[in-house]
Amino acid sequence: MPAGSPLLKSLIFGALIATTVTVLSTSVQRGTDLIPYQLGWSLFVGGIGFAILRTGLISRWRSLFFILMAWGFVLNFKSELIGIKSAVFACSEQGRVPFCHIAMASSFFNYLYQQYLALKSGSWLLWGPLTLGVLWLVVTLSLGQAWCSWACFYGGLDEGFSRVLKKPIWAWTNVSKKLRDFPSALLLFLLLVSLTVFLPVYCLWLCPLKITDAFLDTHGAVRMFQKVFFISIGVLAIGIVPLLTRKRTFCAWLCPFGAWQAFWGRLNPLRVTILPDRCVQCGDCARVCPIFAIEVTEDGPKVLPYCNRCGECLDICARGGIRYTLLGGTDGSGSVLRTVFIGMGLVVGGAVGGLFMPEVFRKIVFWIGGR
Amino acid sequence: MIALMTEGLGLGLATGGYCLGACAPMVVPYFLSEAPARWKDALGIVLKFLTGRLAAYLVFAAAVSWMGHRFRGDIPLSLLNVASVLAGILMVGYSGIRTFSDKAFCRRLSEGKSLRMWPWAMGFLVGINVCPPLIAGAVRLLELGRVSSGILFFLAFFVGTSVYLLPVMLMKPWVRTERMMNIGRLAGFLSGGWFVVRGMSAWAG
């Protein structure tokens, strides 16, 4: 476990993050009435940066930011959808297809086909998803797989439940090697069948994050099955199993975007690396890894491509044997890289949260104070 | 005859993208699971699948042309959904055998010759499935109403649609790792299950 940084350095780091998030947040959403809330959000993110550097604990503070962002998203966006109900998610140009990053990954071939149609039609209004693609590229280059623990506005849901109990009731640590690649298999399957039926199969049948029935099937029986799937997957994978095991079950097993990023995230050079000379093979890192991304082998623990860079293993390792590195190299200054990465994570996550968290703060103030 | 074959080829080329969509959930997981070491093996897998599909097309063409000739009636699509269910069961079975090949029963099946027949069988069952190009071809067959013309038309149609399946081979350089094989097997389970559910739900109406 690394020691904390000096007070001044931590303060400067926090202030830099807060300033950057403020600039990004206010340039995307303009409006004087939002500014106090945007500043509030930026200060909160900067405060998280300060706390991480000062205490040396990454995941404890990151998770606070991450969980708050996810529940803020649900509160702001999803609650409005539930209220509006009909025709939500639907954009007249895109028909009935919902678009979030998870949908983009699981129906990527359909997405490519849509882009081809958009290109042929010459209507620039149809190019919305392409913008999403550019954003994805920026995020992937800057964070890679770390999106799933630093910026995804859904990931904090199961992480929130996984943090309720201090110790797991069900110690789920080992996963058969044959099964660990299930998320990639699920992604492959979804890519192919979505293309077959020309529909986003994941969104229609499996995504528990869609807590509205706005675009379910019109056939009564099919609609009922869809609801049963959503509710059971949501209750089990986001709620109950994370609560019992302290593992992010949905993110680890059922999120196609996680598998997608496990592949493309390699574009980003940052890795979590276990230093063999310091590792005593206690297995603590594998035990606490919330997404089963550390495999215990005869040669010692091995970090799998599914690693989210959440920092849980860095926090637990008593000998400081785990570091953020560039492409797995074990030399060089770990602490500089660590600071740069944490800064990147918080800035990107803060910018994503800046799209809705100020509005959440405003709503809360309105609900409490009535203005 | 030339005109008929050109028409079949044109229809195949025009609609073959759908064939890739319909067959890929079976072919791709199978290809990954088998992890062909050489280009020859990769070609072998695709050719076996295509041969099975050709057989399906010819049987389908003969049957529908004969029906068109005799009855001028509807195609019994519900029977074709049975093929979807069978293809799904076959894929789940295959994936199970490959995944649990360390168990004695699966090892026996895995090492036996019967598993080599799988791509033919899957090609046949997937080929006989209801998909948009097949329906388009079938409509033309009903009009033709002659078995020989129907077979010729579907032979050319098969060549046209098969062009879209050949690129599956290009995955060969990336497949030969244990992880990719596992991914293929697990995806095979999911695809097989999906074919079963799709066939049964279509059958039930």
Side-chain angles (χ1 to χ4, degrees):
Chain A
M1 189 189 306
S5 300
L7 181 67
L8 187 64
K9 185 184 169 186
S10 308
L11 273 173
I12 293 171
F13 181 69
L16 274 175
I17 288 172
T19 311
T20 318
V21 173
T22 306
V23 170
L24 290 170
S25 180
T26 49
S27 58
V28 172
Q29 283 190 313
R30 293 169 193 273
T32 47
D33 55 333
L34 260 186
I35 287 177
Y37 306 105
Q38 286 170 327
L39 283 175
W41 170 245
S42 304
L43 280 175
F44 173 74
V45 182
I48 294 289
F50 167 79
I52 291 177
L53 231 61
R54 185 75 185 121
T55 60
L57 295 170
I58 300 172
S59 196
R60 177 187 290 179
W61 300 106
R62 177 205 54 81
S63 67
L64 180 64
F65 152 79
F66 194 56
I67 293 166
L68 186 82
M69 189 164 77
W71 288 102
F73 178 76
V74 170
L75 188 74
N76 185 53
F77 186 62
K78 296 290 186 181
S79 62
E80 282 179 14
L81 293 180
I82 292 168
I84 299 167
K85 203 116 179 191
S86 62
V88 285
F89 272 124
C91 147
S92 55
E93 280 80 24
Q94 285 170 13
R96 290 171 297 162
V97 181
F99 259 89
C100 71
H101 52 289
I102 301 179
M104 195 178 91
S106 59
S107 47
F108 185 70
F109 294 142
N110 303 39
Y111 163 81
L112 281 184
Y113 182 66
Q114 283 173 348
Q115 293 308 307
Y116 164 71
L117 293 180
L119 187 70
K120 271 181 44 175
S121 75
S123 168
W124 296 99
L125 288 173
L126 291 169
W127 281 58
L130 192 71
T131 318
L132 204 63
V134 173
L135 281 176
W136 165 77
L137 192 64
V138 171
V139 165
T140 303
L141 289 173
S142 55
L143 284 186
Q145 176 77 355
W147 163 270
C148 305
S149 274
W150 291 84
C152 176
F153 41 85
Y154 290 125
L157 298 178
D158 62 355
E159 174 146 9
F161 281 103
S162 77
R163 297 252 171 188
V164 172
L165 300 175
K166 284 209 162 183
K167 283 188 176 175
I169 292 172
W170 169 25
W172 183 13
T173 47
N174 292 327
V175 174
S176 161
K177 212 175 169 183
K178 286 176 183 169
L179 289 178
R180 185 58 195 92
D181 284 309
F182 178 80
S184 299
L186 181 66
L187 173 65
L188 177 67
F189 163 72
L190 289 167
L191 283 169
L192 297 172
V193 296
S194 297
L195 183 67
T196 303
V197 294
F198 276 100
L199 286 169
V201 173
Y202 184 76
C203 310
L204 291 171
W205 285 97
L206 297 171
C207 182
L209 303 168
K210 194 178 66 212
I211 51 173
T212 166
D213 57 0
F215 53 103
L216 295 185
D217 202 278
T218 48
H219 189 281
V222 177
R223 197 180 181 84
M224 193 188 71
F225 274 117
Q226 286 176 323
K227 278 185 183 172
V228 168
F229 278 133
F230 293 149
I231 293 168
S232 13
I233 293 173
V235 168
L236 284 173
I238 293 178
I240 294 175
V241 182
L243 187 76
L244 296 177
T245 61
R246 281 182 63 88
K247 300 284 181 188
R248 289 172 57 188
T249 320
F250 176 79
C251 299
W253 296 105
L254 295 172
C255 179
F257 194 75
W260 176 264
Q261 283 303 83
F263 181 77
W264 291 107
R266 292 175 199 198
L267 291 173
N268 179 285
L270 189 105
R271 306 279 185 271
V272 167
T273 307
I274 298 169
L275 308 176
D277 54 330
R278 292 203 188 180
C279 178
V280 289
Q281 306 201 10
C282 62
D284 278 351
C285 51
R287 182 176 53 78
V288 298
C289 177
I291 51 151
F292 306 92
I294 297 181
E295 183 188 10
V296 179
T297 67
E298 284 177 3
D299 303 326
K302 189 179 146 197
V303 181
L304 299 175
Y306 298 100
C307 171
N308 286 181
R309 290 52 159 166
C310 68
E312 197 71 33
C313 55
L314 278 86
D315 287 356
I316 196 80
C317 185
R319 294 171 58 90
I322 307 178
R323 277 192 189 165
Y324 289 126
T325 62
L326 282 180
L327 297 170
T330 52
D331 50 346
S333 173
S335 78
V336 173
L337 192 62
R338 176 189 164 96
T339 309
V340 170
F341 168 70
I342 293 164
M344 288 275 258
L346 286 173
V347 165
V348 175
V352 171
L355 297 170
F356 49 88
M357 289 308 289
E359 186 59 36
V360 173
F361 290 162
R362 180 159 68 175
K363 276 182 183 166
I364 291 171
V365 168
F366 175 77
W367 289 331
I368 295 171
R371 62 192 169 91
Chain B
M1 189 177 82
I2 301 285
L4 193 66
M5 288 184 78
T6 311
E7 191 188 339
L9 185 70
L11 184 68
L13 286 171
T15 58
Y18 288 95
C19 288
L20 175 64
C23 297
M26 286 294 189
V27 182
V28 173
Y30 181 82
F31 195 87
L32 293 180
S33 306
E34 286 297 304
R38 295 169 300 174
W39 284 105
K40 199 176 112 184
D41 302 330
L43 180 67
I45 288 173
V46 177
L47 282 183
K48 277 182 190 175
F49 186 83
L50 286 178
T51 318
R53 213 165 134 262
L54 174 64
Y57 273 32
L58 294 180
V59 168
F60 183 80
V64 175
S65 306
W66 178 77
M67 276 165 42
H69 175 60
R70 291 287 296 269
F71 309 113
R72 300 269 165 199
D74 295 330
I75 315 160
L77 293 180
S78 57
L79 284 178
L80 302 187
N81 290 320
V82 177
S84 176
V85 175
L86 289 176
I89 292 170
L90 208 62
M91 191 69 205
V92 170
Y94 166 80
S95 302
I97 291 166
R98 282 288 189 230
T99 305
F100 302 106
S101 56
D102 48 341
K103 310 277 182 242
F105 175 71
C106 293
R107 191 169 55 241
R108 267 203 307 278
L109 286 171
S110 190
E111 288 165 357
K113 283 183 180 172
S114 62
L115 216 59
R116 289 182 209 157
M117 303 288 283
W118 243 248
W120 275 305
M122 271 193 296
F124 183 83
L125 291 168
V126 173
I128 214 157
N129 256 304
V130 184
C131 74
L134 202 74
I135 301 290
V139 169
R140 185 73 179 100
L141 287 184
L142 287 171
E143 283 172 12
L144 290 171
R146 280 175 51 199
V147 176
S148 57
S149 306
I151 288 177
L152 271 180
F153 177 81
F154 249 64
L155 207 57
F157 177 67
F158 164 80
V159 173
T161 54
S162 297
V163 169
Y164 293 88
L165 287 169
L166 291 174
V168 170
M169 276 194 312
L170 300 179
M171 292 192 304
K172 185 240 156 212
W174 292 279
V175 299
R176 232 182 134 62
T177 63
E178 197 190 342
R179 280 196 64 207
M180 290 305 275
M181 287 160 83
N182 275 336
I183 291 170
R185 287 162 194 167
L186 292 169
F189 272 118
L190 296 169
S191 290
W194 182 74
F195 264 73
V196 171
V197 170
R198 194 182 69 152
M200 286 174 81
S201 54
W203 204 8

